[in-house]
mmCIF file of all heavy atoms in Angstrom:
data_model
loop_
_atom_site.group_PDB
_atom_site.id
_atom_site.type_symbol
_atom_site.label_atom_id
_atom_site.label_comp_id
_atom_site.label_asym_id
_atom_site.label_seq_id
_atom_site.Cartn_x
_atom_site.Cartn_y
_atom_site.Cartn_z
ATOM 1 N N ASN E 107 -29.451 40.931 75.922
ATOM 2 C CA ASN E 107 -29.617 39.697 75.139
ATOM 3 C C ASN E 107 -30.622 38.733 75.784
ATOM 4 O O ASN E 107 -31.285 37.963 75.099
ATOM 5 C CB ASN E 107 -28.249 39.021 75.003
ATOM 6 C CG ASN E 107 -28.296 37.802 74.114
ATOM 7 O OD1 ASN E 107 -28.807 37.863 73.003
ATOM 8 N ND2 ASN E 107 -27.785 36.687 74.605
ATOM 9 N N GLU E 126 -33.704 53.014 63.354
ATOM 10 C CA GLU E 126 -33.755 54.464 63.607
ATOM 11 C C GLU E 126 -32.358 55.063 63.753
ATOM 12 O O GLU E 126 -32.038 56.080 63.161
ATOM 13 C CB GLU E 126 -34.550 54.747 64.891
ATOM 14 C CG GLU E 126 -36.038 54.647 64.685
ATOM 15 C CD GLU E 126 -36.820 54.613 65.989
ATOM 16 O OE1 GLU E 126 -36.220 54.487 67.082
ATOM 17 O OE2 GLU E 126 -38.053 54.698 65.912
ATOM 18 N N VAL E 212 -20.102 56.555 64.928
ATOM 19 C CA VAL E 212 -20.464 57.880 64.413
ATOM 20 C C VAL E 212 -21.609 57.711 63.429
ATOM 21 O O VAL E 212 -21.584 56.796 62.594
ATOM 22 C CB VAL E 212 -19.240 58.517 63.690
ATOM 23 C CG1 VAL E 212 -19.650 59.720 62.862
ATOM 24 C CG2 VAL E 212 -18.175 58.905 64.699
ATOM 25 N N PHE E 328 -4.462 49.725 71.299
ATOM 26 C CA PHE E 328 -4.376 49.011 72.571
ATOM 27 C C PHE E 328 -2.994 48.375 72.717
ATOM 28 O O PHE E 328 -2.233 48.278 71.753
ATOM 29 C CB PHE E 328 -5.499 47.976 72.721
ATOM 30 C CG PHE E 328 -5.512 46.886 71.669
ATOM 31 C CD1 PHE E 328 -4.899 45.653 71.908
ATOM 32 C CD2 PHE E 328 -6.157 47.075 70.453
ATOM 33 C CE1 PHE E 328 -4.939 44.650 70.961
ATOM 34 C CE2 PHE E 328 -6.191 46.073 69.488
ATOM 35 C CZ PHE E 328 -5.580 44.857 69.738
#
Side-chain angles (χ1 to χ4, degrees):
N107 185 50
E126 282 167 350
V212 166
F328 61 95

